[in-house]
């Protein structure tokens, strides 16, 4: 994960080893290399600029603390700034005060939504929740069945339109699922919505209609990290079209660069809440900015 960036940064810091103090030229050269490393990682340009600016300013102005040599000091600054662009604090799920907590998933087809829905359900189950999965993706053939298969894998029931009624209205299905959750005492409802290959108006409208009908406690935008900073464009389109509270990054295991993870928070202002990093149902957890920063600098 993010191997290219890790290697690049490690090389940059190597050049600073053994230096007694950092000259202005050292700081400039380091900043330049960090900039290249971030651009190669496919981080969005405004984020790169902000990041490098912050590192430079702190490197110039901060007193070198007694315990750290200059190289370590720079590493600490880069670590802190990585934590900042990754979102700072871990953002946890907000549960409804009463009634079931409703989580709605939105994103492009292929982003990994259906897989993610089941992973999230398993994760919640492990925390003694009693989730209900809802198949409101009635667009893609097999989406309902795929969710049912995944639901079975993690032992979580799936609410879906009756067979033969597969072309039903996803808004009705979503609405009915909340009633079902109340009746059967599910405390979390996870609604999988339809995705398209590209952003389109019908898709946005449908997601917005479901949102209006069920008033979710959390809308999560699911995005494939492997698409790099293209994720930012899609994220912005969904922010304008549907709106969401947090982001889920999927396929982090296949992302050698990190551009999506490092750009999305700064550009959208929305926190990355979860990360999905593999084909196994357990390859999923809360997204911890500090741990991610440490991994990058490991
Ligand atoms: P959806 O169209 O958004 O519902 O996407 P799917 O859940 O069907 O996922 C699309 C493909 O990505 C499937 O082949 C999944 O197995 C795969 N996938 C989903 N999440 C991950 C992940 O975290 N890592 C990897 N390597 N593959 C994933």
């Amino acid at each position: 994960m993010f191997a290219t960036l890790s290697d690049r940064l490690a090389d940059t810091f190597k050049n600073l080893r053994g230096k007694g103090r950092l000259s202005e030229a050292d700081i400039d050269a380091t900043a330049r290399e960090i900039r290249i490393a971030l651009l190669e990682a496919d981080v969005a340009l405004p984020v790169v600029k902000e990041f490098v600016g912050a590192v430079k300013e702190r490197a110039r102005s901060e007193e070198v603390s007694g315990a750290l040599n200059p190289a370590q000091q720079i590493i600490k600054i880069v670590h802190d700034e990585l934590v900042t662009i990754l979102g700072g604090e871990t953002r946890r799920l907000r549960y409804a005060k009463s009634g079931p907590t409703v989580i709605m998933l939105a994103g492009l087809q292929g982003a990994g939504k259906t897989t993610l829905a089941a992973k999230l359900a398993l994760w919640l189950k492990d925390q003694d929740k009693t989730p209900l999965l809802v198949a409101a993706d009635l667009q893609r053939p097999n989406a309902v069945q795929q969710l049912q298969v995944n639901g079975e894998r993690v032992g979580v029931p799936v609410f879906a339109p009756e067979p033969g009624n597969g072309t039903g209205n996803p808004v009705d299905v979503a609405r009915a699922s909340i009633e079902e959750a109340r009746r059967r005492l599910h405390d979390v409802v996870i609604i999988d919505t339809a995705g398209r290959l590209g952003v389109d108006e019908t898709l946005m409208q449908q997601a917005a209609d479901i949102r209006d009908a069920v008033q979710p406690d959390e809308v999560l935008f699911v995005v494939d990290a492997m698409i790099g900073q293209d994720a930012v464009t899609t994220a912005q389109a969904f922010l304008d079209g549907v709106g969401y509270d947090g982001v889920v990054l999927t396929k982090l295991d296949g992302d050698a660069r990190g551009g999506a993870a490092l750009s999305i928070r700064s550009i959208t202002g929305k926190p990355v809440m979860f990360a999905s990093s593999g084909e196994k149902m357990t390859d999923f957890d809360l997204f911890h900015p500090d741990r991610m920063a440490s991994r990058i600098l490991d």
Side-chain angles (χ1 to χ4, degrees):
M1 205 187 288
F2 308 173
T4 324
L5 180 60
S6 292
D7 291 350
R8 266 274 187 188
L9 290 174
D11 285 346
T12 304
F13 301 142
K14 224 180 269 167
N15 295 335
L16 296 172
R17 256 192 231 145
K19 290 201 187 268
R21 60 178 290 278
L22 294 184
S23 67
E24 194 63 26
D26 290 330
I27 293 175
D28 281 347
T30 304
R32 229 177 358 256
E33 284 181 36
I34 293 173
R35 180 185 157 85
I36 294 168
L38 293 173
L39 288 173
E40 279 186 354
D42 203 25
V43 178
L45 188 58
V47 182
V48 175
K49 284 186 172 161
E50 197 183 308
F51 188 94
V52 174
V55 170
K56 246 172 133 168
E57 193 183 310
R58 281 186 58 188
R60 283 205 192 100
S61 64
E62 273 180 24
E63 285 290 306
V64 175
S65 102
L68 301 178
N69 63 39
Q72 291 167 330
Q73 182 88 1
I74 291 275
I75 293 172
K76 183 180 179 310
I77 292 172
V78 170
H79 177 274
D80 292 351
E81 293 303 323
L82 281 174
V83 173
T84 301
I85 62 167
L86 289 166
E89 296 280 300
T90 303
R91 160 71 155 80
R92 286 162 203 282
L93 267 183
R94 291 183 188 135
Y95 295 102
K97 293 211 169 59
S98 66
T101 299
V102 179
I103 302 172
M104 173 179 150
L105 307 177
L108 294 182
Q109 184 173 319
K113 261 194 323 312
T114 308
T115 310
L116 179 275
K119 286 180 172 183
L120 177 60
L122 177 63
W123 183 84
L124 287 163
K125 214 175 106 175
D126 286 344
Q127 315 213 4
D128 296 327
K129 302 286 182 198
T130 53
L132 175 68
L133 283 162
V134 181
D137 177 356
L138 308 183
Q139 219 78 35
R140 183 162 59 95
N142 293 334
V144 173
Q145 197 200 355
Q146 191 192 337
L147 191 66
Q148 280 165 334
V149 169
N150 281 337
E152 232 162 76
R153 274 174 79 188
V154 296
V156 171
V158 175
F159 183 83
E162 293 296 317
N165 192 18
T167 51
N169 180 344
V171 177
D172 293 341
V173 171
R175 206 182 274 124
S177 75
I178 311 289
E179 288 312 309
E180 171 83 355
R182 286 216 170 89
R183 257 195 314 271
R184 297 191 181 268
L185 304 179
H186 291 285
D187 50 15
V188 185
V189 180
I190 303 167
I191 304 175
D192 186 22
T193 65
R196 293 283 160 84
L197 288 173
V199 173
D200 79 33
E201 236 165 74
T202 322
L203 158 78
M204 289 296 176
Q205 194 52 52
Q206 188 185 92
D209 290 345
I210 295 176
R211 179 202 63 205
D212 291 345
V214 302
Q215 304 274 320
D217 298 283
E218 302 272 25
V219 180
L220 303 183
F221 169 62
V222 183
V223 66
D224 175 351
M226 285 168 66
I227 67 174
Q229 67 165 296
D230 282 352
V232 167
T233 321
T234 315
Q236 196 60 55
F238 273 84
L239 199 54
D240 299 340
V242 190
Y244 48 84
D245 304 288
V247 177
V248 183
L249 290 171
T250 63
K251 309 187 201 178
L252 270 182
D253 52 313
D255 177 22
R257 303 210 288 171
L262 290 160
S263 307
I264 213 153
R265 166 65 204 241
S266 297
I267 301 282
T268 64
K270 299 295 176 188
V272 178
M273 288 171 60
F274 293 101
S276 178
S277 56
E279 299 269 6
K280 287 206 301 288
M281 284 293 145
T282 47
D283 292 332
F284 172 82
D285 204 354
L286 281 169
F287 183 81
H288 299 290
D290 53 345
R291 285 188 214 165
M292 184 57 79
S294 300
R295 277 180 75 166
I296 292 171
L297 296 179
D298 224 1

